[in-house]
Amino acid sequence: MRTLREVPRTVRLLCCGIFFNAVVSFTFVYLFVWLTGPRGLTVAQAGVLSGIGGIGLVAGNFTGGWFGDRYGHRRALLAGAAVSGSVLCVIALLPVAALYAALPLAQYASGVVRSANSALVAVSVPEGSRRQGFAVMRFASNAGFTVGPPLGALAAARFSYGWLFVADGIGTLLFAAYAARVLPAHGAVQSPRPRAADAPAFRSELRARPAVLVLLAAIVCVDLVYRQQYATLPVFLGDHGLDARVYGWLIAINGGVILCLELPAAHALRKRAPLTVIGSGLLLVGLGYAALVPSASLGAAVALMVSLTLGEILYKTTATAYVADQAPAHAQGRFQSLYAGASISGQVLAPPLGGALYASAPGLLWPLCAGLAALAGLAVLGARRLPGAPAGADTGPSLETGSPRRAAAG
């Protein structure tokens, strides 16, 4: 496949490891079941623990890039994977009180790994191919998550939920060992880019890129909407006579379409203006939720998932690559951390906010979701007129030098 040939070998090898790590990262799927089942916690207690863990994950995504910029992205990945894997190996043996510290620590380290993966792709892939590079990374991750949960269910049924944490931990440690071998010990993945003495401060770098700030705010808004599919959507479907089997098939549609179309779409749209592609994707997310406003039928649910999936294909890969292209070399990790944190913020925000609104005014949830995603999409489309926003594809004048940008070496 041509898309794969445009991605450096180091990134392809890293994505193989990401696939394996995603396969064994099934504990988050069954965390709530484990807490309320074998550990005997109430739903409220399990919700608090899950929420604390989610906060750790988001915090790791937001701050992990700082470690990479300062110490090297390879070191950040290896340290994060080592900490996360070690904690997961023993977490099933810990008393409940200790889980309030262990879960957020493991999730924080996992967030550092996630941001380091993105930064490694950003610094290793030439700028004109970054969309394809991030599409390959997402393909590997999504493929792993497609395989992992069913394997986790079989393991839990055959052994116990506690063994899932051991398998996840050992798998994460093996991923660290694999990454240490395939990622070069010298070069951009290992050594942080030096910051010039006269380089602007990080906040100044962000202010010089107003389109990036608009994009980050839009991603936070749309992720709150996007992740309702994992929070309030199954409840809504159940309340209207569509059982868990229907919801399972809808999620299967999402995963299947992404695996089939995301790589070809990234290649086909690589010359399109990034903000136009991203804004169109956000509008499709809003359009999907709008399908639920007049009807709670099976057809409306399928229309939601198809539109939501097409929107995800358009905006997620392109937005990650756009932030990478806009970042100065010495702050690539921090820019990727900002995007990584924004892109997962809904994991913490969506369940409580969506659940509260659905409980108090269920008829308002989907119109508000559709409207919020539409506003986010329009904001990104409007950001094309801001200073520094590229008008074309992933090329353009550098904000640092005024000359064509060159990707960091791999």
Side-chain angles (χ1 to χ4, degrees):
M1 184 183 292
R2 185 175 176 182
T3 299
L4 289 175
R5 291 198 299 269
E6 295 172 342
V7 177
R9 180 174 180 271
T10 297
V11 173
R12 297 199 302 269
L13 291 174
L14 175 63
C15 288
C16 290
I18 290 172
F19 167 77
F20 171 74
N21 196 40
V23 169
V24 300
S25 296
F26 32 54
T27 52
F28 81 96
V29 176
Y30 302 105
L31 176 62
F32 206 89
V33 176
W34 177 69
L35 291 173
T36 56
R39 298 313 298 259
L41 300 185
T42 66
V43 171
Q45 289 173 317
V48 170
L49 261 176
S50 299
I52 292 174
I55 291 171
L57 180 64
V58 172
N61 277 276
F62 269 122
T63 61
W66 181 87
F67 296 112
D69 286 338
R70 188 172 180 86
Y71 302 110
H73 304 301
R74 180 179 182 269
R75 291 192 185 100
L77 184 153
L78 298 181
V83 172
S84 177
S86 299
V87 175
L88 286 170
C89 281
V90 301
I91 206 167
L93 303 175
L94 298 177
V96 171
L99 294 179
Y100 286 89
L103 274 174
L105 176 60
Q107 291 283 66
Y108 179 87
S110 178
V112 171
V113 172
R114 185 173 181 267
S115 64
N117 285 335
S118 294
L120 285 166
V121 174
V123 301
S124 301
V125 179
E127 187 171 328
S129 299
R130 278 188 178 141
R131 294 194 206 179
Q132 297 94 299
F134 283 112
V136 172
M137 185 184 76
R138 275 182 45 81
F139 179 88
S141 180
N142 284 322
F145 283 130
T146 300
V147 175
L151 291 179
L154 291 175
R158 178 66 176 82
F159 303 105
S160 71
Y161 284 105
W163 283 105
L164 298 184
F165 291 93
V166 177
D168 194 343
I170 292 174
T172 302
L173 292 174
L174 289 175
F175 170 60
Y178 171 82
R181 184 169 183 83
V182 302
L183 295 177
H186 303 285
V189 301
Q190 169 70 8
S191 304
R193 283 297 180 110
R195 179 177 179 270
D198 59 347
F202 181 62
R203 291 182 181 179
S204 299
E205 301 276 22
L206 278 175
R207 286 196 295 268
R209 297 159 173 80
V212 172
L213 292 174
V214 171
L215 173 62
L216 291 172
I219 293 300
V220 171
C221 292
V222 86
D223 204 57
L224 169 62
V225 172
Y226 169 82
R227 292 187 191 276
Q228 295 302 325
Q229 67 175 305
Y230 306 119
T232 53
L233 179 62
V235 178
F236 171 80
L237 295 176
D239 289 345
H240 291 83
L242 301 175
D243 60 18
R245 289 174 297 178
V246 172
Y247 177 68
W249 278 108
L250 290 175
I251 297 300
I253 290 173
N254 175 266
V257 173
I258 287 174
L259 291 177
C260 290
L261 296 184
E262 187 159 23
L263 281 173
H267 180 75
L269 298 173
R270 67 193 185 283
K271 300 298 183 184
R272 300 290 182 180
L275 293 179
T276 300
V277 176
I278 297 165
S280 300
L282 302 187
L283 291 176
L284 280 173
V285 172
L287 181 64
Y289 282 101
L292 296 179
V293 175
S295 169
S297 65
L298 177 60
V302 171
L304 156 71
M305 193 54 67
V306 170
S307 185
L308 190 68
T309 303
L310 294 177
E312 177 180 354
I313 288 171
L314 290 182
Y315 90 80
K316 287 204 170 185
T317 293
T318 312
T320 314
Y322 176 76
V323 172
D325 289 341
Q326 291 295 299
H330 66 271
Q332 186 65 258
R334 280 166 287 179
F335 270 67
Q336 281 301 309
S337 259
L338 284 177
Y339 179 79
S343 70
I344 204 170
S345 58
Q347 185 161 320
V348 173
L349 299 175
L353 295 181
L357 181 59
Y358 186 72
S360 60
L364 290 179
L365 178 60
W366 306 129
L368 284 178
C369 284
L372 187 59
L375 288 175
L378 293 174
V380 171
L381 293 175
R384 294 175 298 179
R385 297 189 291 271
L386 293 174
D394 295 324
T395 57
S398 169
L399 289 171
E400 297 180 271
T401 64
S403 60
R405 289 193 297 267
R406 293 189 297 178

